[in-house]
Amino acid sequence: MRHILVYSDSLTWGIVPTTRQRLPFERRWPGAMEIGLRAAGHDVRVIEDCLNGRRTVWDDPFKPGRNGLEGLAQRIEIHSPLDLVILMLGTNDFQSMHPHNAWHSSQGILALIDAIRTAPIEPGMPAPRILVVAPPAIRTPKGPIAPKFAGGEHKCQGLAEAYHMVCEQTGCDFFDAGSVTPSSEVDGVHLDAPQHLALSQALCGIVGDLLDRVDSAATA
């Protein structure tokens, strides 16, 4: 069985825009991706570690524990051996209380990549492959979260390009979620159920290919 860790925020946790409700596992993109990969013949287990409000490397001044760098190495150790880690973070870096731009978030992703690769896993266990997924760009924020994300649609510009550059520099795999789905029209930030499905379908093919490469390398 191949093990995949998805490390993300509320976009992946499956919050229903403008509510505090959560989509069920099979309608969140990690769950739908697992179902799709299994249907395609891959024996996989997808582990979700998705926290609402999680940043790449910054603290939330109002809620503790939202710094994505803190404890990441230990999560890799806990769940090892892992075949793949999927990072999809960055949206919360652009909340109104932060001054960050796309380059800042790309440096946050770089720090997370380093934490994964230097995690204290047991001797002989392989370091997992890393797939960085750039979240869809923020639209004009609407509804209850509008004050929290005010201005985010401007600060996030260029995020996918900045992440892609980091991945090229570090040898990580990359995918732009915005190439298959925008953010929700309802709140401008999260993903609606059909958007989760669209992302899962795109990632099924990408992750399936990555797992095939892992298998090929193991038998070479």
Side-chain angles (χ1 to χ4, degrees), residues 14-74:
I15 197 165
V16 178
T18 72
T19 78
R20 304 308 300 177
Q21 302 301 308
R22 187 182 194 186
L23 292 170
F25 178 73
E26 66 275 9
R27 298 186 70 192
R28 303 193 292 268
W29 72 257
M33 181 184 71
E34 178 181 297
I35 292 168
L37 287 169
R38 285 182 171 274
H42 294 281
D43 188 12
V44 298
R45 174 178 176 237
V46 174
I47 304 163
E48 295 177 300
D49 191 327
C50 307
L51 178 65
N52 293 342
R54 180 179 277 156
R55 281 83 162 142
T56 54
V57 296
W58 289 284
D59 295 319
D60 184 325
F62 308 118
K63 291 183 178 180
R66 267 58 184 180
N67 184 328
L69 186 58
E70 293 181 356
L72 175 56
Q74 287 68 43

Side-chain angles (χ1 to χ4, degrees), residues 179-209:
S179 67
V180 294
T181 181
S183 55
S184 171
E185 290 187 3
V186 178
D187 69 5
V189 174
H190 294 103
L191 300 177
D192 302 317
Q195 295 169 326
H196 276 268
L197 180 60
L199 181 54
S200 74
Q201 291 172 338
L203 287 174
C204 268
I206 293 167
V207 171
D209 288 344

Side-chain angles (χ1 to χ4, degrees), residues 40-200:
H42 294 281
D43 188 12
V44 298
R45 174 178 176 237
V46 174
I47 304 163
E48 295 177 300
D49 191 327
C50 307
L51 178 65
N52 293 342
R54 180 179 277 156
R55 281 83 162 142
T56 54
V57 296
W58 289 284
D59 295 319
D60 184 325
F62 308 118
K63 291 183 178 180
R66 267 58 184 180
N67 184 328
L69 186 58
E70 293 181 356
L72 175 56
Q74 287 68 43
R75 283 175 165 86
I76 301 302
E77 186 179 9
I78 289 166
H79 296 296
S80 63
L82 289 166
D83 297 283
L84 178 67
V85 176
I86 301 178
L87 292 175
M88 183 170 153
L89 286 169
T91 298
N92 290 298
D93 292 358
F94 307 116
Q95 288 191 17
S96 57
M97 71 279 293
H98 298 306
H100 310 134
N101 59 30
W103 181 85
H104 294 122
S105 287
S106 74
Q107 298 309 292
I109 285 291
L110 182 60
L112 299 180
I113 291 169
D114 184 64
I116 292 168
R117 288 179 168 172
T118 58
I121 56 179
E122 295 299 318
M125 287 189 177
R129 194 163 186 144
I130 301 171
L131 170 62
V132 174
V133 178
I138 299 170
R139 301 192 192 193
T140 302
K142 303 175 185 176
I145 64 169
K148 183 186 290 187
F149 285 93
E153 69 272 30
H154 305 298
K155 291 186 285 186
C156 75
Q157 293 302 307
L159 184 66
E161 293 82 358
Y163 278 16
H164 192 197
M165 185 175 297
V166 165
C167 290
E168 288 186 331
Q169 294 168 350
T170 57
C172 294
D173 297 289
F174 171 78
F175 181 70
D176 177 12
S179 67
V180 294
T181 181
S183 55
S184 171
E185 290 187 3
V186 178
D187 69 5
V189 174
H190 294 103
L191 300 177
D192 302 317
Q195 295 169 326
H196 276 268
L197 180 60
L199 181 54
S200 74

